[in-house]
Amino acid sequence: DLEYKSYLRMNIILALRTAVFVVNILVTSITHSLLLLLLYPLKFILPQLYNKTESWLYSTCGQSMVPFFGIYPKLRIYLDNASESFEAVKRKRAVVMVNHQDTGDVPVMMMLLASFNLARTVTWISDVMFKWTPFGIPSQWHNDFFSKEGKETRPLMEKNIREHFSTTYFKKGHRWLIFFPEGGFLKNRGESARNYARKNGLPVLNNCCLPRTTAFVNVIRAFRGDVRPVPEKVEDILDVTLGFKGGLLCLQDVLLGKLADKEVFISIKMHKISELPQGEEELTTWLYDRYVEKEALLENFKAKGKFEDDKEFYPLKINKTQLTFAFCFWYLAAFFVGGLYYKAITCLYTLASG
């Protein structure tokens, strides 16, 4: 009886929180698009003001999700290069590659961006399947990149990646380029990635997946100026490894707010793009080697609760006021924008019928 009541209670809470989540993301996404449609003429009259406004709206879209989940976990973060300060990392243009274990990775990265005040100047590489979702539509306004895997689309995708990160990324003033090289969750891709590795004589990994290399290789080529001259050098790669104490979190766990009780550790190692090899095969091998290192870090984390024995963790301060403001902002904006569009449609209807 007690077990059944507990199960029933959990499912009722899950259903309610899922419904609120769906309403929240729809309100945010639709209001975001309607607001930018109103502001779109600014793109041609005052392009800098438009870009800054669009970037700010984009950042609040992501931040508005965090308070909904009640996600203020006990984050710990450290840098591998002792000579580099956190402030220096925040100011860098950089390629940021993150291991992708489960759904909990995304809100943690959103909190990291919010605490570094970088959410408005970030570019994400996402799978094309998300392009027309409520998450993907704000990303399209922001000129994030949508990647499609497959042999038949690879030549076109390589060309699009190189062109996008030689031009649009710089025009928009973006700084961090974030992507998950594994191309999916560890729980979904782990076994197939291991089978592929065994078949091709590559490293077999258990705590992360062997990465897909198309996006990485072509982004590096674009940033090095191999495609066309770039207006500013991108010098750094930030190799981010996430570790969750007490196990990973699936979508259901995140919706139930379980991330709030987690200790999440973040390791950031820095590499110089200028030190990377030139050829595609050599770049592929370099990326595989980094994931072998990630495997060792995650294995140590699983056994000892820390990535490396001699590294200290610094608590990351989360600006809860900023995140709560972002959550409230979209409901106020929805009321204002909805009223504006309603009046405009009513006036047009009156004119048409009169």
Side-chain angles (χ1 to χ4, degrees), residues 18-278:
T18 301
V20 173
F21 168 72
V22 170
V23 169
N24 190 60
I25 188 61
L26 287 174
V27 166
T28 302
S29 178
I30 293 168
T31 305
H32 174 272
S33 290
L34 293 176
L35 194 51
L36 282 175
L37 280 172
L38 286 175
L39 298 173
Y40 199 70
L42 283 177
K43 186 173 183 178
F44 308 100
I45 304 165
L46 296 168
Q48 286 190 331
L49 178 60
Y50 172 82
N51 284 336
K52 285 181 180 180
T53 305
E54 181 279 319
S55 293
W56 184 82
L57 292 172
Y58 174 82
S59 71
T60 58
C61 274
Q63 292 170 21
S64 69
M65 290 295 102
V66 177
F68 162 76
F69 293 127
I71 312 169
Y72 300 122
K74 304 166 185 176
L75 279 177
R76 296 292 182 272
I77 182 169
Y78 76 85
L79 292 179
D80 186 66
N81 297 39
S83 61
E84 297 277 358
S85 69
F86 287 113
E87 288 300 321
V89 170
K90 289 187 267 186
R91 289 195 299 268
K92 290 175 180 289
R93 284 190 191 271
V95 177
V96 183
M97 55 187 199
V98 190
N99 63 311
H100 206 12
Q101 299 169 97
D102 217 320
T103 308
D105 302 340
V106 177
V108 167
M109 286 304 297
M110 286 179 177
M111 278 187 290
L112 181 65
L113 293 169
S115 66
F116 279 6
N117 198 26
L118 275 169
R120 68 185 66 181
T121 57
V122 71
T123 293
W124 291 81
I125 296 181
S126 307
D127 193 282
V128 73
M129 67 181 286
F130 296 110
K131 190 169 184 176
W132 295 105
T133 65
F135 295 102
I137 293 168
S139 293
Q140 289 189 59
W141 284 100
H142 193 64
N143 293 115
D144 286 346
F145 188 86
F146 294 91
S147 176
K148 186 176 182 180
E149 293 292 333
K151 289 182 180 179
E152 66 283 355
T153 60
R154 184 170 178 176
L156 178 61
M157 197 55 53
E158 288 177 345
K159 178 177 178 288
N160 290 344
I161 289 172
R162 292 194 297 268
E163 288 182 355
H164 186 89
F165 292 105
S166 297
T167 55
T168 306
Y169 168 86
F170 292 100
K171 285 180 183 176
K172 296 279 288 188
H174 292 174
R175 306 203 71 75
W176 279 17
L177 159 62
I178 303 179
F179 72 116
F180 300 102
E182 290 153 282
F185 295 150
L186 172 64
K187 65 177 184 180
N188 296 336
R189 288 203 64 246
E191 191 56 42
S192 62
R194 284 188 287 273
N195 290 337
Y196 176 83
R198 291 187 191 101
K199 185 179 177 180
N200 293 277
L202 297 169
V204 178
L205 311 175
N206 296 305
N207 298 296
C208 52
C209 296
L210 198 69
R212 293 171 174 173
T213 60
T214 302
F216 174 78
V217 168
N218 287 282
V219 163
I220 296 302
R221 287 187 63 194
F223 284 164
R224 284 198 301 210
D226 295 353
V227 183
R228 65 183 70 183
V230 289
E232 182 183 336
K233 282 189 176 180
V234 181
E235 298 180 349
D236 296 280
I237 294 175
L238 303 183
D239 184 2
V240 178
T241 305
L242 305 178
F244 292 77
K245 272 199 173 179
L248 304 178
L249 294 174
C250 65
L251 178 59
Q252 178 177 308
D253 295 329
V254 172
L255 287 170
L256 287 169
K258 291 185 179 180
L259 189 51
D261 303 321
K262 284 285 183 182
E263 273 195 310
V264 184
F265 291 78
I266 305 176
S267 159
I268 302 179
K269 293 192 174 188
M270 284 182 281
H271 307 278
K272 294 292 181 185
I273 289 179
S274 59
E275 296 173 0
L276 266 60
Q278 291 296 318

